[in-house]
Each structure stands twice: as C-alpha cells, then as structure tokens.
Amino acid sequence: MNYTLNQLNIFYKIAQNQSITKAAEELHLTQPAVSIQLKNFQDQFSIPLTEVVGRKLYVTDFGKEIAAAAEQIIHQVQAINYKTHAFEGNIAGRLTISTVSTAKYVMPYFLTDFMDANPGVDLVMDVTNKAKVIRSLEQNAIDFAMVSVLPDHLKINRVELMQNKLFLVGGTSRSRPKSYSAARILREEPLILREQGSATRNAMETFLASKDIQNSKKLELTSNEALKQALVAGLGYSIMPLIGLKNELGNKDLEIIPMRGLPIITHWNLIWQKSKKLSPTAQAFLDYIEAQKNEIIRDRFDWFEKYN
C-alpha cells in the first residue's frame, strides 16, 4: 500500500460529510479532483470503502474503520506540527470558536492579525444560532463562544468587545404610505423573523411584546443573509443587527426606520466556561484580544459608531 496523507485527509472528509461534493467544498478542491483521489485510495484496498445507493454515497463498515484510523493519523501529524512550532518558540495549536450567525460580521476582524502573526495556529470557527453555540459551550467542544446575550445558567468568564445595535429596517424598494408610523409598520406590514433559538428573533419578539404590538403577517428565515436579501427584495420589515448592513445601507437598498425604543443595544462578548483550562493557544488569543480590542474596534468599525 502506498496511500498518501492527502488521500487519508480527503477520505476522512468524505466520510465526515457522507458526500464528495461537500468534502470538495471544505477542502477547496473540485469535485472531479476529490473523486479521482477517492478512486486512487480505494484501489489500494480489496474491500469497498464506500457504496452508492439511490445516488447517495454511503461509507461501508470497513470504510468507517479506515476513516477512524485516518482521523487519528491526521491528529498525530497535526500534533507533530504543533510541537515543531512550539520548539521554535512559536504559538501553535488548535483554536476553536463558535459564534452566533450575526457575529460572522465581527469575529473575523478580531482574528486576522492574530492568525497572521501565528501561522502555527489552526482555526476552527462554527457559525450557527445561539442555541447551538451554547450547546457547544456546555459540552466543552470549543475554546470560546461569541454571543450578544449571555447564558444565565452557565458560570462563564467574558471579555466585552463592542456594541450590537438592532434597528427597524426595510427595503427602499417596498412602497408604503408615507403616513405610516413605525408602530403601524410593525402592526400591518409583513414582518420577517429569524428561526426559533436565534438571539435576533428573541430580541425582536421581546421588543414587540413590550410595545403590545401584534402582527399575523410573519415570515421566518433561517439565516441573516437570507433575511437581508428578503428585505432588499421588499418582502417586509425586520428588527435586525446593524453590523451586517453596511453595504446595503451605503447603497441605499435598505433604510433604517426611526422608532422610540430603538436601537436595542447589547454587546458582543467573547465567553468561555469558568471551569475550562485554556490551552496555551487559547490563552494567547485571549491575551491578544484583551490588549488589542479597542484598537480593532476603532480601526475596523468606525462606520458603525455613526448610527445611533
């Protein structure tokens, strides 16, 4: 047998995703390239690693055993790389972060310079909704989480990063009578909400309840990008974070509709469990954040402070 580390990694990703297409996307390769490597890898075994049933790929029991072995080998290689960097006096290791979906517009700016300065660090960042972020934190599956609403059932440490502002927003392409107040818009125009478990949805529903506003015309979308495009298309209105709207507001595709009680202001927080023993890599990142956060906010988010 003469399989390569690259083939092991490709097969491991195929087994993880149960899909050649998804594995190719993760690896930033073309689907034909992944298929060729899978065939070359398979040719070295007399027992099938995968099978296709009804156009769907399945990993065989033998394939699962090989995938598990491949995972161990890949982790050992990573450990060797980390140790090499460590002996050279560099920060090296795995940094795992889970963020709520709207934080994807914020978190990368707090990572860029740290990652550039520490090439031995491997970053894994999961972008999902609040419920899944907190679950990852509870299960000790991550180093840090980034949220705007703190979990009240966990003992956590935190670093407050920057404000999160939520405004009433609509698309400029949607026509409405000029006499409509913001409250009337929320009562009579279609409202677009995020899915259950989203902190943005919770904030919007809490605000509507505080104003005793009810509306039966509701649409639900499961991503911030989808919601934003729905607003641009004129499907309705929503209360959503300013942070992801820079280009659409600048292009005048969206507009902020003033209303008393808005914006809702919370703060983005980098959080971790108090009981967690941070790895040297995670501690180095935390030290970097505490030292550089004010400069990052000033340099990268000056536009954000103009909206109040």
Side-chain angles (χ1 to χ4, degrees):
M1 290 188 180
N2 193 31
Y3 44 78
T4 66
L5 182 62
N6 183 49
Q7 288 173 340
L8 285 171
N9 189 45
I10 287 174
F11 180 67
Y12 172 59
K13 288 297 182 183
I14 291 170
Q16 258 192 329
N17 291 282
Q18 297 282 305
S19 166
I20 291 174
T21 301
K22 290 180 181 178
E25 289 173 358
E26 275 195 29
L27 293 164
H28 305 290
L29 298 171
T30 64
Q31 186 173 333
V34 171
S35 296
I36 290 169
Q37 289 300 320
L38 174 60
K39 181 181 183 305
N40 292 340
F41 188 57
Q42 173 65 79
D43 287 347
Q44 300 180 70
F45 299 93
S46 59
I47 303 171
L49 299 170
T50 63
E51 58 185 355
V52 177
V53 180
R55 300 182 66 183
K56 181 173 174 57
L57 182 141
Y58 294 89
V59 179
T60 65
D61 289 342
F62 177 67
K64 290 174 183 177
E65 294 288 337
I66 298 301
E71 181 181 16
Q72 291 180 3
I73 293 168
I74 291 164
H75 287 170
Q76 287 298 318
V77 170
Q78 288 174 341
I80 291 170
N81 292 336
Y82 297 154
K83 287 175 183 177
T84 302
H85 282 289
F87 269 92
E88 292 172 346
N90 299 320
I91 297 168
R94 192 179 180 92
L95 179 65
T96 55
I97 301 173
S98 185
T99 76
V100 293
S101 57
T102 48
K104 69 184 177 185
Y105 303 109
V106 178
M107 193 72 239
Y109 294 100
F110 288 90
L111 285 161
T112 301
D113 289 345
F114 178 79
M115 296 301 297
D116 285 347
N118 300 286
V121 174
D122 290 331
L123 172 67
V124 178
M125 188 169 80
D126 181 36
V127 180
T128 183
N129 65 30
K130 181 194 171 189
K132 292 181 180 178
V133 169
I134 300 305
R135 193 178 310 129
S136 295
L137 199 66
E138 290 173 330
Q139 295 172 350
N140 196 33
I142 53 174
D143 295 315
F144 300 105
M146 189 171 181
V147 296
S148 59
V149 179
L150 298 173
D152 55 13
H153 65 293
L154 294 177
K155 293 181 179 178
I156 59 167
N157 290 320
R158 71 184 179 107
V159 175
E160 187 178 285
L161 298 181
M162 59 181 286
Q163 286 187 339
N164 178 36
K165 306 174 186 178
L166 288 82
F167 290 88
L168 175 59
V169 182
T172 54
S173 65
R174 184 176 179 86
S175 61
R176 67 176 189 276
K178 291 185 178 180
S179 60
Y180 270 28
S181 64
R184 188 169 180 182
I185 288 172
L186 289 172
R187 286 192 177 93
E188 299 184 15
E189 293 289 309
L191 299 185
I192 310 176
L193 293 83
R194 286 287 306 279
E195 77 283 3
Q196 292 286 351
S198 161
T200 298
R201 178 177 181 140
N202 291 342
M204 183 172 176
E205 290 182 332
T206 299
F207 178 78
L208 294 175
S210 72
K211 298 293 184 181
D212 195 25
I213 293 174
Q214 297 182 4
N215 187 323
S216 60
K217 303 175 185 176
K218 293 179 180 177
L219 296 78
E220 181 177 303
L221 297 176
T222 57
S223 81
N224 218 56
E225 283 299 313
L227 194 157
K228 184 167 61 175
Q229 293 307 314
L231 293 177
V232 171
L235 273 176
Y237 297 84
S238 188
I239 294 174
M240 65 181 303
L242 171 67
I243 194 66
L245 306 179
K246 180 181 180 182
N247 292 336
E248 290 74 17
L249 290 171
N251 296 336
K252 301 189 184 305
D253 293 323
L254 295 178
E255 61 178 339
I256 291 174
I257 301 162
M259 183 175 184
R260 181 171 294 181
L262 295 177
I264 301 167
I265 296 179
T266 59
H267 285 83
W268 295 114
N269 296 275
L270 190 71
I271 66 173
W272 65 101
Q273 291 217 58
K274 279 190 175 181
S275 59
K276 185 173 183 63
K277 182 175 174 58
L278 294 178
S279 69
T281 301
Q283 185 62 54
F285 178 65
L286 181 60
D287 293 343
Y288 164 80
I289 287 292
E290 291 178 326
Q292 300 296 324
K293 66 172 186 173
N294 291 332
E295 182 178 342
I296 294 169
I297 293 168
R298 184 181 66 247
D299 292 346
R300 301 296 190 126
F301 298 101
D302 59 326
W303 68 272
F304 187 81
E305 301 304 322
K306 298 174 184 176
Y307 293 89
N308 294 298

